[in-house]
Amino acid sequence: MTIQSKKIVQETKSLFAGIDVGAEELILLVRKNGTSYKPQKFANAPADRARLAKKLAGLPGIIVCLEATGVYHFDLSIALHDAGVALMVVNPKSSHNFAKVLMKNSKTDAVDAETLAQYAERMDFVAWARPSDEKISLRSFARRIDALTRQKAAAKNNSHALNASGETPKAVLRDVELSISQLEKRIACLSKEALALIGKHPDLERVFLLLTGIKGIAQTSAIALMGELLLLPKGLSHREWVKSAGLDPRAFDSGKSVHKKTRISKAGNRHIRSALYMPALSAKQHDPYVKAYSSTSWVTASYHCKRFVP
């Protein structure tokens, strides 16, 4: 009993903080001894991120929790990590379900920040791993190339529709073709820069060569996959890796009458799923091992990729 009471006292003396991250604003809420303090506002800008990191670094033993909200949390996470703050970054789905368990009836930035602080207080601490600068840069290249590729696909579809009509002015057709040509040049330029970055780092080059050695994965797909895979935590099993990508099967059975078709959960990184889609289709035709599991080609292709990524 004495040991247990000492443990409880030690835990309640710890500090916990939740940060609700927005595109323009950061809401900080600190909890101590089970009591929430008044939320504080900071701008989601370099100066205020540095000020917030310095403030939290000056609070010994504090554990900070925030959600992975697109790109807006990333610079803050790096600032906190580099300042030596114990940081955990959680999947928004986890914090959303945690708020349901707490029966939170309201949803405001301050309420969300308090929920994250309570999450840090009650759940096991899992430290956020900071990726290297070159991996962060590679992800930026990969996501920009993906965005331009989507624009090019939309432009080509538009061109096809316009060419189907004989009433479309030639000037409009020329403009669409020009936009496609410009997008192709921009994609090629960014791809060249990404390959140059990979060539400067032997560890990246090794992964690149291994990935491009897989049937169905060419240079563009390898860049896209590396931009996402290399930022995943180290030491994941292949099952955890698949779940991180949202490729794990989601069963839906209840009682004797509800038996829905099993589908992938899509609860993970959509960029990984997007990067795997075309390689999986190609591997389905040309790789006999993937072809044998054609109904689950995404999962199978992701499993093969996992074998080559540290």
Side-chain angles (χ1 to χ4, degrees), residues 221-257:
S221 296
I223 292 170
L225 287 169
M226 289 175 64
E228 304 300 330
L229 301 183
L230 295 180
L231 272 74
L232 291 176
K234 293 183 178 180
L236 294 181
S237 67
H238 70 277
R239 292 182 182 275
E240 291 172 326
W241 186 91
V242 170
K243 190 171 183 179
S244 297
L247 294 168
D248 53 312
R250 179 178 180 270
F252 197 109
D253 292 325
S254 180
K256 297 182 179 180
S257 58

mmCIF file of all heavy atoms in Angstrom, residues 221-257:
data_model
loop_
_atom_site.group_PDB
_atom_site.id
_atom_site.type_symbol
_atom_site.label_atom_id
_atom_site.label_comp_id
_atom_site.label_asym_id
_atom_site.label_seq_id
_atom_site.Cartn_x
_atom_site.Cartn_y
_atom_site.Cartn_z
ATOM 1 N N SER A 221 7.586 6.448 -58.150
ATOM 2 C CA SER A 221 6.934 5.736 -57.051
ATOM 3 C C SER A 221 7.885 5.567 -55.878
ATOM 4 O O SER A 221 7.471 5.656 -54.712
ATOM 5 C CB SER A 221 6.443 4.369 -57.519
ATOM 6 O OG SER A 221 5.454 4.501 -58.512
ATOM 7 N N ALA A 222 9.157 5.327 -56.157
ATOM 8 C CA ALA A 222 10.146 5.163 -55.086
ATOM 9 C C ALA A 222 10.299 6.449 -54.288
ATOM 10 O O ALA A 222 10.376 6.424 -53.055
ATOM 11 C CB ALA A 222 11.489 4.730 -55.664
ATOM 12 N N ILE A 223 10.327 7.583 -54.983
ATOM 13 C CA ILE A 223 10.432 8.874 -54.289
ATOM 14 C C ILE A 223 9.208 9.098 -53.410
ATOM 15 O O ILE A 223 9.318 9.517 -52.250
ATOM 16 C CB ILE A 223 10.587 10.023 -55.308
ATOM 17 C CG1 ILE A 223 11.936 9.932 -56.026
ATOM 18 C CG2 ILE A 223 10.453 11.381 -54.623
ATOM 19 C CD1 ILE A 223 12.075 10.872 -57.199
ATOM 20 N N ALA A 224 8.026 8.810 -53.975
ATOM 21 C CA ALA A 224 6.782 8.992 -53.216
ATOM 22 C C ALA A 224 6.750 8.092 -51.984
ATOM 23 O O ALA A 224 6.358 8.537 -50.888
ATOM 24 C CB ALA A 224 5.583 8.706 -54.115
ATOM 25 N N LEU A 225 7.168 6.842 -52.125
ATOM 26 C CA LEU A 225 7.153 5.909 -51.005
ATOM 27 C C LEU A 225 8.183 6.290 -49.946
ATOM 28 O O LEU A 225 7.894 6.270 -48.746
ATOM 29 C CB LEU A 225 7.412 4.489 -51.509
ATOM 30 C CG LEU A 225 6.267 3.834 -52.275
ATOM 31 C CD1 LEU A 225 6.732 2.552 -52.952
ATOM 32 C CD2 LEU A 225 5.106 3.536 -51.332
ATOM 33 N N MET A 226 9.374 6.653 -50.373
ATOM 34 C CA MET A 226 10.420 7.029 -49.422
ATOM 35 C C MET A 226 10.029 8.275 -48.636
ATOM 36 O O MET A 226 10.331 8.390 -47.444
ATOM 37 C CB MET A 226 11.740 7.266 -50.157
ATOM 38 C CG MET A 226 12.390 6.002 -50.686
ATOM 39 S SD MET A 226 13.869 6.338 -51.666
ATOM 40 C CE MET A 226 14.958 7.058 -50.428
ATOM 41 N N GLY A 227 9.342 9.201 -49.311
ATOM 42 C CA GLY A 227 8.928 10.425 -48.634
ATOM 43 C C GLY A 227 7.999 10.172 -47.468
ATOM 44 O O GLY A 227 7.899 11.004 -46.555
ATOM 45 N N GLU A 228 7.300 9.028 -47.479
ATOM 46 C CA GLU A 228 6.373 8.698 -46.400
ATOM 47 C C GLU A 228 6.917 7.596 -45.480
ATOM 48 O O GLU A 228 6.849 7.713 -44.263
ATOM 49 C CB GLU A 228 5.028 8.245 -46.985
ATOM 50 C CG GLU A 228 4.383 9.249 -47.923
ATOM 51 C CD GLU A 228 4.089 10.588 -47.270
ATOM 52 O OE1 GLU A 228 3.839 10.605 -46.045
ATOM 53 O OE2 GLU A 228 4.108 11.603 -47.976
ATOM 54 N N LEU A 229 7.488 6.557 -46.068
ATOM 55 C CA LEU A 229 7.920 5.404 -45.274
ATOM 56 C C LEU A 229 9.048 5.748 -44.315
ATOM 57 O O LEU A 229 9.093 5.246 -43.189
ATOM 58 C CB LEU A 229 8.380 4.274 -46.195
ATOM 59 C CG LEU A 229 7.367 3.724 -47.196
ATOM 60 C CD1 LEU A 229 7.973 2.564 -47.963
ATOM 61 C CD2 LEU A 229 6.100 3.292 -46.492
ATOM 62 N N LEU A 230 9.973 6.592 -44.748
ATOM 63 C CA LEU A 230 11.147 6.883 -43.921
ATOM 64 C C LEU A 230 10.813 7.740 -42.704
ATOM 65 O O LEU A 230 11.651 7.903 -41.823
ATOM 66 C CB LEU A 230 12.220 7.580 -44.772
ATOM 67 C CG LEU A 230 12.809 6.732 -45.894
ATOM 68 C CD1 LEU A 230 13.858 7.515 -46.678
ATOM 69 C CD2 LEU A 230 13.432 5.448 -45.341
ATOM 70 N N LEU A 231 9.607 8.298 -42.660
ATOM 71 C CA LEU A 231 9.202 9.082 -41.505
ATOM 72 C C LEU A 231 8.384 8.279 -40.498
ATOM 73 O O LEU A 231 7.986 8.795 -39.453
ATOM 74 C CB LEU A 231 8.402 10.321 -41.936
ATOM 75 C CG LEU A 231 9.253 11.569 -42.252
ATOM 76 C CD1 LEU A 231 9.967 11.387 -43.588
ATOM 77 C CD2 LEU A 231 8.407 12.814 -42.288
ATOM 78 N N LEU A 232 8.133 7.005 -40.804
ATOM 79 C CA LEU A 232 7.447 6.151 -39.846
ATOM 80 C C LEU A 232 8.387 5.794 -38.705
ATOM 81 O O LEU A 232 9.610 5.760 -38.882
ATOM 82 C CB LEU A 232 6.966 4.871 -40.533
ATOM 83 C CG LEU A 232 5.834 5.014 -41.553
ATOM 84 C CD1 LEU A 232 5.552 3.662 -42.189
ATOM 85 C CD2 LEU A 232 4.582 5.571 -40.917
ATOM 86 N N PRO A 233 7.854 5.527 -37.506
ATOM 87 C CA PRO A 233 8.709 5.141 -36.375
ATOM 88 C C PRO A 233 9.513 3.884 -36.681
ATOM 89 O O PRO A 233 9.053 2.998 -37.401
ATOM 90 C CB PRO A 233 7.704 4.902 -35.238
ATOM 91 C CG PRO A 233 6.484 5.655 -35.626
ATOM 92 C CD PRO A 233 6.431 5.620 -37.131
ATOM 93 N N LYS A 234 10.697 3.795 -36.112
ATOM 94 C CA LYS A 234 11.534 2.617 -36.315
ATOM 95 C C LYS A 234 11.016 1.456 -35.469
ATOM 96 O O LYS A 234 10.374 1.649 -34.453
ATOM 97 C CB LYS A 234 12.982 2.931 -35.937
ATOM 98 C CG LYS A 234 13.659 3.930 -36.861
ATOM 99 C CD LYS A 234 15.105 4.132 -36.474
ATOM 100 C CE LYS A 234 15.792 5.109 -37.431
ATOM 101 N NZ LYS A 234 17.213 5.321 -37.060
ATOM 102 N N GLY A 235 11.338 0.263 -35.929
ATOM 103 C CA GLY A 235 11.019 -0.919 -35.150
ATOM 104 C C GLY A 235 9.602 -1.433 -35.305
ATOM 105 O O GLY A 235 9.175 -2.308 -34.545
ATOM 106 N N LEU A 236 8.841 -0.914 -36.276
ATOM 107 C CA LEU A 236 7.476 -1.402 -36.473
ATOM 108 C C LEU A 236 7.494 -2.788 -37.101
ATOM 109 O O LEU A 236 8.334 -3.086 -37.953
ATOM 110 C CB LEU A 236 6.687 -0.452 -37.380
ATOM 111 C CG LEU A 236 6.390 0.960 -36.866
ATOM 112 C CD1 LEU A 236 5.591 1.721 -37.913
ATOM 113 C CD2 LEU A 236 5.650 0.939 -35.549
ATOM 114 N N SER A 237 6.560 -3.618 -36.691
ATOM 115 C CA SER A 237 6.373 -4.900 -37.365
ATOM 116 C C SER A 237 5.639 -4.655 -38.674
ATOM 117 O O SER A 237 5.112 -3.559 -38.909
ATOM 118 C CB SER A 237 5.558 -5.853 -36.476
ATOM 119 O OG SER A 237 4.231 -5.360 -36.327
ATOM 120 N N HIS A 238 5.576 -5.681 -39.536
ATOM 121 C CA HIS A 238 4.891 -5.470 -40.816
ATOM 122 C C HIS A 238 3.402 -5.220 -40.594
ATOM 123 O O HIS A 238 2.771 -4.472 -41.352
ATOM 124 C CB HIS A 238 5.123 -6.662 -41.755
ATOM 125 C CG HIS A 238 4.437 -7.922 -41.361
ATOM 126 N ND1 HIS A 238 4.967 -8.798 -40.436
ATOM 127 C CD2 HIS A 238 3.251 -8.462 -41.748
ATOM 128 C CE1 HIS A 238 4.150 -9.814 -40.279
ATOM 129 N NE2 HIS A 238 3.099 -9.644 -41.054
ATOM 130 N N ARG A 239 2.825 -5.790 -39.539
ATOM 131 C CA ARG A 239 1.416 -5.532 -39.242
ATOM 132 C C ARG A 239 1.198 -4.083 -38.806
ATOM 133 O O ARG A 239 0.236 -3.435 -39.220
ATOM 134 C CB ARG A 239 0.927 -6.490 -38.158
ATOM 135 C CG ARG A 239 0.864 -7.949 -38.605
ATOM 136 C CD ARG A 239 0.319 -8.833 -37.499
ATOM 137 N NE ARG A 239 0.306 -10.239 -37.888
ATOM 138 C CZ ARG A 239 -0.667 -10.809 -38.564
ATOM 139 N NH1 ARG A 239 -1.733 -10.097 -38.922
ATOM 140 N NH2 ARG A 239 -0.608 -12.078 -38.884
ATOM 141 N N GLU A 240 2.097 -3.576 -37.982
ATOM 142 C CA GLU A 240 1.997 -2.176 -37.534
ATOM 143 C C GLU A 240 2.215 -1.219 -38.691
ATOM 144 O O GLU A 240 1.571 -0.172 -38.780
ATOM 145 C CB GLU A 240 3.016 -1.914 -36.416
ATOM 146 C CG GLU A 240 2.709 -2.627 -35.126
ATOM 147 C CD GLU A 240 3.829 -2.507 -34.109
ATOM 148 O OE1 GLU A 240 5.009 -2.476 -34.522
ATOM 149 O OE2 GLU A 240 3.544 -2.458 -32.907
ATOM 150 N N TRP A 241 3.129 -1.597 -39.585
ATOM 151 C CA TRP A 241 3.389 -0.754 -40.753
ATOM 152 C C TRP A 241 2.152 -0.655 -41.634
ATOM 153 O O TRP A 241 1.757 0.424 -42.074
ATOM 154 C CB TRP A 241 4.554 -1.334 -41.545
ATOM 155 C CG TRP A 241 4.990 -0.466 -42.679
ATOM 156 C CD1 TRP A 241 5.935 0.509 -42.647
ATOM 157 C CD2 TRP A 241 4.467 -0.489 -44.006
ATOM 158 N NE1 TRP A 241 6.036 1.087 -43.886
ATOM 159 C CE2 TRP A 241 5.144 0.498 -44.737
ATOM 160 C CE3 TRP A 241 3.484 -1.242 -44.647
ATOM 161 C CZ2 TRP A 241 4.886 0.746 -46.072
ATOM 162 C CZ3 TRP A 241 3.226 -0.993 -45.981
ATOM 163 C CH2 TRP A 241 3.925 -0.018 -46.679
ATOM 164 N N VAL A 242 1.518 -1.799 -41.879
ATOM 165 C CA VAL A 242 0.305 -1.827 -42.700
ATOM 166 C C VAL A 242 -0.806 -1.005 -42.049
ATOM 167 O O VAL A 242 -1.534 -0.279 -42.721
ATOM 168 C CB VAL A 242 -0.146 -3.290 -42.936
ATOM 169 C CG1 VAL A 242 -1.535 -3.336 -43.561
ATOM 170 C CG2 VAL A 242 0.845 -4.005 -43.846
ATOM 171 N N LYS A 243 -0.913 -1.093 -40.724
ATOM 172 C CA LYS A 243 -1.935 -0.330 -40.016
ATOM 173 C C LYS A 243 -1.646 1.161 -40.086
ATOM 174 O O LYS A 243 -2.565 1.984 -40.199
ATOM 175 C CB LYS A 243 -2.018 -0.789 -38.557
ATOM 176 C CG LYS A 243 -3.208 -0.218 -37.811
ATOM 177 C CD LYS A 243 -3.368 -0.860 -36.446
ATOM 178 C CE LYS A 243 -4.620 -0.322 -35.756
ATOM 179 N NZ LYS A 243 -4.822 -0.946 -34.421
ATOM 180 N N SER A 244 -0.379 1.551 -40.027
ATOM 181 C CA SER A 244 -0.012 2.965 -40.130
ATOM 182 C C SER A 244 -0.421 3.545 -41.478
ATOM 183 O O SER A 244 -0.702 4.733 -41.588
ATOM 184 C CB SER A 244 1.503 3.141 -39.933
ATOM 185 O OG SER A 244 1.896 2.745 -38.650
ATOM 186 N N ALA A 245 -0.445 2.695 -42.494
ATOM 187 C CA ALA A 245 -0.842 3.139 -43.832
ATOM 188 C C ALA A 245 -2.350 3.075 -44.042
ATOM 189 O O ALA A 245 -2.849 3.508 -45.079
ATOM 190 C CB ALA A 245 -0.147 2.290 -44.893
ATOM 191 N N GLY A 246 -3.082 2.537 -43.055
ATOM 192 C CA GLY A 246 -4.527 2.404 -43.202
ATOM 193 C C GLY A 246 -4.916 1.291 -44.149
ATOM 194 O O GLY A 246 -6.006 1.303 -44.726
ATOM 195 N N LEU A 247 -4.027 0.307 -44.314
ATOM 196 C CA LEU A 247 -4.277 -0.804 -45.220
ATOM 197 C C LEU A 247 -4.733 -2.065 -44.488
ATOM 198 O O LEU A 247 -4.896 -3.117 -45.106
ATOM 199 C CB LEU A 247 -3.007 -1.127 -46.019
ATOM 200 C CG LEU A 247 -2.552 -0.032 -46.992
ATOM 201 C CD1 LEU A 247 -1.154 -0.325 -47.493
ATOM 202 C CD2 LEU A 247 -3.516 0.097 -48.150
ATOM 203 N N ASP A 248 -4.911 -1.972 -43.173
ATOM 204 C CA ASP A 248 -5.339 -3.130 -42.403
ATOM 205 C C ASP A 248 -6.816 -3.413 -42.660
ATOM 206 O O ASP A 248 -7.609 -2.497 -42.840
ATOM 207 C CB ASP A 248 -5.102 -2.889 -40.906
ATOM 208 C CG ASP A 248 -5.733 -1.589 -40.432
ATOM 209 O OD1 ASP A 248 -5.535 -0.558 -41.100
ATOM 210 O OD2 ASP A 248 -6.440 -1.597 -39.397
ATOM 211 N N PRO A 249 -7.218 -4.684 -42.688
ATOM 212 C CA PRO A 249 -8.625 -5.019 -42.952
ATOM 213 C C PRO A 249 -9.532 -4.599 -41.802
ATOM 214 O O PRO A 249 -9.172 -4.735 -40.633
ATOM 215 C CB PRO A 249 -8.602 -6.539 -43.123
ATOM 216 C CG PRO A 249 -7.372 -6.990 -42.406
ATOM 217 C CD PRO A 249 -6.378 -5.882 -42.549
ATOM 218 N N ARG A 250 -10.704 -4.109 -42.154
ATOM 219 C CA ARG A 250 -11.686 -3.666 -41.156
ATOM 220 C C ARG A 250 -12.915 -4.574 -41.272
ATOM 221 O O ARG A 250 -13.703 -4.452 -42.206
ATOM 222 C CB ARG A 250 -12.070 -2.203 -41.396
ATOM 223 C CG ARG A 250 -13.102 -1.655 -40.418
ATOM 224 C CD ARG A 250 -13.357 -0.182 -40.720
ATOM 225 N NE ARG A 250 -14.334 0.382 -39.796
ATOM 226 C CZ ARG A 250 -15.646 0.386 -40.001
ATOM 227 N NH1 ARG A 250 -16.134 -0.146 -41.109
ATOM 228 N NH2 ARG A 250 -16.463 0.918 -39.134
ATOM 229 N N ALA A 251 -13.049 -5.474 -40.309
ATOM 230 C CA ALA A 251 -14.195 -6.388 -40.306
ATOM 231 C C ALA A 251 -15.401 -5.710 -39.682
ATOM 232 O O ALA A 251 -15.269 -4.836 -38.820
ATOM 233 C CB ALA A 251 -13.844 -7.649 -39.532
ATOM 234 N N PHE A 252 -16.590 -6.071 -40.125
ATOM 235 C CA PHE A 252 -17.825 -5.497 -39.580
ATOM 236 C C PHE A 252 -18.861 -6.617 -39.468
ATOM 237 O O PHE A 252 -19.645 -6.854 -40.375
ATOM 238 C CB PHE A 252 -18.333 -4.370 -40.485
ATOM 239 C CG PHE A 252 -19.338 -3.464 -39.819
ATOM 240 C CD1 PHE A 252 -18.984 -2.170 -39.470
ATOM 241 C CD2 PHE A 252 -20.627 -3.892 -39.523
ATOM 242 C CE1 PHE A 252 -19.886 -1.324 -38.851
ATOM 243 C CE2 PHE A 252 -21.539 -3.063 -38.904
ATOM 244 C CZ PHE A 252 -21.168 -1.773 -38.563
ATOM 245 N N ASP A 253 -18.842 -7.306 -38.342
ATOM 246 C CA ASP A 253 -19.787 -8.386 -38.062
ATOM 247 C C ASP A 253 -20.454 -8.127 -36.725
ATOM 248 O O ASP A 253 -19.790 -7.750 -35.755
ATOM 249 C CB ASP A 253 -19.077 -9.749 -38.003
ATOM 250 C CG ASP A 253 -18.551 -10.162 -39.367
ATOM 251 O OD1 ASP A 253 -19.217 -9.855 -40.368
ATOM 252 O OD2 ASP A 253 -17.482 -10.783 -39.418
ATOM 253 N N SER A 254 -21.767 -8.313 -36.675
ATOM 254 C CA SER A 254 -22.500 -8.126 -35.426
ATOM 255 C C SER A 254 -23.693 -9.084 -35.397
ATOM 256 O O SER A 254 -24.560 -9.028 -36.273
ATOM 257 C CB SER A 254 -22.977 -6.681 -35.293
ATOM 258 O OG SER A 254 -23.687 -6.489 -34.087
ATOM 259 N N GLY A 255 -23.697 -9.953 -34.387
ATOM 260 C CA GLY A 255 -24.810 -10.885 -34.265
ATOM 261 C C GLY A 255 -24.883 -11.863 -35.418
ATOM 262 O O GLY A 255 -23.873 -12.250 -36.012
ATOM 263 N N LYS A 256 -26.090 -12.230 -35.773
ATOM 264 C CA LYS A 256 -26.302 -13.215 -36.827
ATOM 265 C C LYS A 256 -26.697 -12.600 -38.166
ATOM 266 O O LYS A 256 -26.673 -13.277 -39.193
ATOM 267 C CB LYS A 256 -27.395 -14.205 -36.410
ATOM 268 C CG LYS A 256 -27.045 -15.031 -35.185
ATOM 269 C CD LYS A 256 -28.161 -16.014 -34.857
ATOM 270 C CE LYS A 256 -27.813 -16.875 -33.649
ATOM 271 N NZ LYS A 256 -28.899 -17.839 -33.323
ATOM 272 N N SER A 257 -27.052 -11.323 -38.140
ATOM 273 C CA SER A 257 -27.611 -10.735 -39.359
ATOM 274 C C SER A 257 -26.693 -9.713 -40.037
ATOM 275 O O SER A 257 -26.819 -9.486 -41.236
ATOM 276 C CB SER A 257 -28.946 -10.048 -39.046
ATOM 277 O OG SER A 257 -28.767 -9.055 -38.052
#
